[in-house]
Amino acid sequence: MAYDVVVIGSGPGGYICAIRAAQLGLKTAVVEKDKTFGGTCLNVGCIPSKALLHASYLYEEAEKDFAGMGIGVSKPKLDLAQMQKFKQEGVDGNVKGVDYLFKKNKIDTFQGVGKILAPGKIEVSGGGKTQTVETKAIVIATGSDVARLKGIEIDEKRVVSSTGALALSSVPKKLLVVGAGVIGLELGSVWRRLGAEVEVIEFLDRILPGMDNEIARQFQRILQKQGIKFRLSSKVTGIDSKGKTLKVTIEPAAGGKAETVEADITLVSIGRVPYTEGLGLKEAGVKLDDKNRVIVDEKFQTNVKGIYAIGDVIAGPMLAHKAEDEGVAAAENIAGKAGIVNHDAIPNVIYTFPEVASVGKTEEELKAAGVAYKAGKFPFTANGRAKVNKTTDGFVKILADAATDRVLGAHIIGADAGTMITEITLAIEFGASAEDIARTCHPHPTLSEAVKEAALEVDKRALSM
Ligand code: FAD
Ligand code: NAI
């Protein structure tokens, strides 16, 4: 059977690429090594983490905030097995959705490990058989895997990656998190809300490297107020798992006196690495960069004609929506259209409470590039809806070009920041100015009025503060 496109990997990059290719009339197939479709995102990433963030948030709300709103309930009881079932139902529903979409779009599927034999030829091994699939174009969408700490074995029981941390069957008394990145802070929040003592060990002298400094500082203060402890400029150098509790050795990042901390569970969340194992890239002559990422051109084609790559396996932020947009663009390019992705307008959201969201440039990046900019900042303490909801932590910051007023970046910390960042992403896509956002009518009373006020404040004329 010969195809126009075969996509290796069914994560958000791969399945969206396949659907777009099928929409464009290309005969399409997907190869997936795992039992279920959907990749990291649906099975062990975005979807299950958001289910637990949602459930644990409501649990804490019921415990701490209901009484103040006049809702009398007895102290909520945690049924973790049921919460895990709730999470799994969400995962299963999403995974089934991909299965349905493949059938609806007449996309063939092969279960097994895909290996590129040559341009146009993929070997699929699985279920005890090996077959060769022929195709005009190949899309590598094999995603990423957990980055490991040298000398520390992840057993997914006591020393866990995000996958194990999403599946714990009891609340740890003490959870030690290695890495103050997105996974550490989201999953640290889940287990803290459910009753764990959480301490985060971070190599750098700040949390969330790459995020706007001011936002990161305020976020750390808020998380500390919620009870999460931070140990910055520190590194974990060993874990002794012989005893009942883990004995974790921590040293200053720059070297110095070691200290031992006990923990029930240690979550290793120090980043993710591209997944290229067993793909036959070397033999096929596909070039990788120094971080093992597949190198592509602006059409997402590798150095080998007819072989494309998208998502976590190439450079750029490891985000599901970035993978999806690249999947669409790659399919369009394969079909002879002009598929592009604007990598300057990819939003980034951390789904804690409050949420943290950003798009475009940070102040630090603009300063480093010597770009003259104006900043408009508006706090949620001055927003009517935030006041009434008692969600006044945080602010909106919009950065615009000093000469043209064009929006260059935005950073929000606050309830629903992830939803609000979309309008600023659209503004950046359209090349809009801060004045354009400021003159757009925003519904009252909504948190989004803080976006309008921050845009007004770029010109130092906020109305409500
Ligand atoms: P993946 O989703 O990793 O899919 C790759 C697929 O390829 C997998 O199914 C794999 O089995 C398959 N595969 C690999 N090699 C082969 C082979 N040789 N043959 C056949 N199949 C193969 N991003 C967000 O945007 N928002 C979030 O809220 C978010 N939360 C996250 C939470 C966690 C805990 C984690 C770990 C990640 C999260 N991410 C989130 C990141 C997001 O999951 C990834 O960016 C996204 O899944 C990347 O999509 P992808 O299609 O490139 O790869
Ligand atoms: P990350 O890159 O976000 O953070 C890793 C952190 O670990 C950094 O702060 C880094 O300085 C630190 N670190 C690195 N080595 C260390 C060491 N030896 N000791 C102590 N600290 C160390 O990686 P994370 O959290 O593992 O997430 C991986 C990726 O998954 C993210 O980059 C993101 O793209 C994606 N993701 C996205 C989510 C979202 O969009 N909401 C949620 C979860 C994951």
Side-chain angles (χ1 to χ4, degrees):
M1 172 79 76
Y3 289 94
D4 292 315
V5 187
V6 174
V7 183
I8 308 178
S10 71
Y15 82 75
I16 290 292
C17 178
I19 292 169
R20 184 68 187 124
Q23 279 179 346
L24 291 165
L26 302 177
K27 187 161 176 47
T28 306
V30 171
V31 182
E32 173 54 61
K33 68 174 171 53
D34 286 352
K35 277 199 223 76
T36 52
F37 298 128
T40 304
C41 174
L42 271 56
N43 293 283
V44 290
C46 327
I47 297 299
S49 58
K50 266 75 255 179
L52 289 185
L53 278 157
H54 177 65
S56 61
Y57 173 72
L58 292 179
Y59 175 76
E60 189 170 47
E61 275 277 283
E63 188 176 19
K64 297 199 172 140
D65 296 331
F66 274 18
M69 288 183 261
I71 307 169
V73 290
S74 50
K75 190 175 156 53
K77 257 188 17 221
L78 177 65
D79 179 349
L80 185 56
Q82 178 57 33
M83 198 179 278
Q84 291 288 15
K85 198 167 154 235
F86 164 79
K87 175 201 82 181
Q88 199 52 42
E89 281 166 7
V91 169
D92 295 344
N94 275 282
V95 164
K96 272 196 208 116
V98 176
D99 209 7
Y100 161 79
L101 290 170
F102 281 163
K103 289 193 179 103
K104 182 183 162 207
N105 287 283
K106 302 191 171 42
I107 294 164
D108 289 345
T109 54
F110 294 88
Q111 212 213 323
V113 177
K115 181 177 173 189
I116 301 173
L117 298 177
K121 230 179 224 168
I122 298 171
E123 178 189 271
V124 183
S125 327
K129 60 176 183 183
T130 299
Q131 55 190 316
T132 305
V133 183
E134 300 208 350
T135 174
K136 288 185 194 140
I138 295 171
V139 180
I140 302 165
T142 50
S144 61
D145 192 11
V146 174
R148 280 147 218 277
L149 262 174
K150 221 172 138 207
I152 290 172
E153 198 207 330
I154 293 177
D155 61 17
E156 295 296 13
K157 291 198 167 62
R158 293 201 297 163
V159 182
V160 296
S161 71
S162 50
T163 303
L166 285 165
L168 299 180
S169 54
S170 62
V171 178
K173 206 162 155 292
K174 165 111 187 201
L175 170 69
L176 200 84
V177 176
V178 191
V182 196
I183 291 180
L185 301 183
E186 284 191 354
L187 296 183
S189 290
V190 165
W191 293 109
R192 181 204 57 73
R193 291 169 187 168
L194 300 180
E197 180 193 338
V198 177
E199 182 170 356
V200 182
I201 314 296
E202 166 60 45
F203 187 80
L204 301 174
D205 61 358
R206 56 162 294 172
I207 68 167
L208 293 172
M211 272 266 172
D212 180 90
N213 272 344
E214 195 181 7
I215 294 265
R217 274 201 308 273
Q218 174 144 2
F219 189 37
Q220 186 182 340
R221 277 199 297 274
I222 292 171
L223 291 174
Q224 277 165 340
K225 250 191 356 208
Q226 292 173 357
I228 296 185
K229 284 194 204 133
F230 288 91
R231 210 187 275 236
L232 303 179
S233 306
S234 302
K235 62 182 176 194
V236 167
T237 51
I239 301 179
D240 175 357
S241 51
K242 285 198 284 292
K244 234 178 133 214
T245 54
L246 301 169
K247 296 200 174 44
V248 184
T249 312
I250 302 168
E251 280 178 29
K257 198 166 165 281
E259 203 186 313
T260 303
V261 171
E262 292 195 36
D264 304 287
I265 302 282
T266 297
L267 162 62
V268 178
S269 48
I270 56 163
R272 293 181 63 86
V273 289
Y275 189 83
T276 54
E277 213 178 288
L279 254 182
L281 295 185
K282 206 165 160 216
E283 297 84 337
V286 174
K287 280 198 185 135
L288 305 180
D289 69 12
D290 57 351
K291 291 186 173 144
N292 209 34
R293 298 175 297 197
V294 178
I295 300 173
V296 292
D297 63 16
E298 70 289 347
K299 288 187 182 307
F300 301 98
Q301 188 162 221
T302 67
N303 61 305
V304 179
K305 197 165 177 283
I307 303 183
Y308 294 73
I310 56 167
D312 280 10
V313 80
I314 68 169
M318 289 184 169
L319 296 171
H321 40 282
K322 177 250 188 198
E324 289 181 7
D325 287 2
E326 290 176 348
V328 168
E332 290 175 348
N333 289 322
I334 292 167
K337 298 186 176 297
I340 51 157
V341 174
N342 177 4
H343 285 99
D344 286 333
I346 294 178
N348 200 332
V349 181
I350 305 173
Y351 297 87
T352 42
F353 193 88
E355 290 183 347
V356 175
S358 66
V359 64
K361 304 286 184 223
T362 62
E363 289 200 59
E364 294 74 37
E365 284 169 337
L366 292 174
K367 278 180 196 149
V371 176
Y373 67 93
K374 299 176 285 182
K377 220 174 105 180
F378 189 83
F380 284 107
T381 44
N383 172 275
R385 185 68 179 277
K387 268 191 227 167
V388 77
N389 285 358
K390 291 202 173 13
T391 56
T392 49
D393 271 344
F395 58 88
V396 178
K397 178 159 79 177
I398 295 180
L399 307 172
D401 188 285
T404 64
D405 196 38
R406 188 180 176 138
V407 178
L408 302 173
H411 307 275
I412 309 178
I413 179 165
D416 259 343
T419 304
M420 288 187 280
I421 203 71
T422 308
E423 78 162 286
I424 309 174
T425 307
L426 190 68
I428 293 179
E429 264 305 332
F430 281 16
S433 62
E435 182 78 15
D436 288 326
I437 299 177
R439 288 195 180 274
T440 301
C441 191
H442 285 66
H444 176 77
T446 60
L447 299 177
S448 75
E449 287 170 287
V451 173
K452 177 183 171 132
E453 291 278 5
L456 280 164
E457 190 57 13
V458 168
D459 196 33
K460 301 294 161 239
R461 54 185 171 95
L463 296 162
S464 316
M465 71 164 191

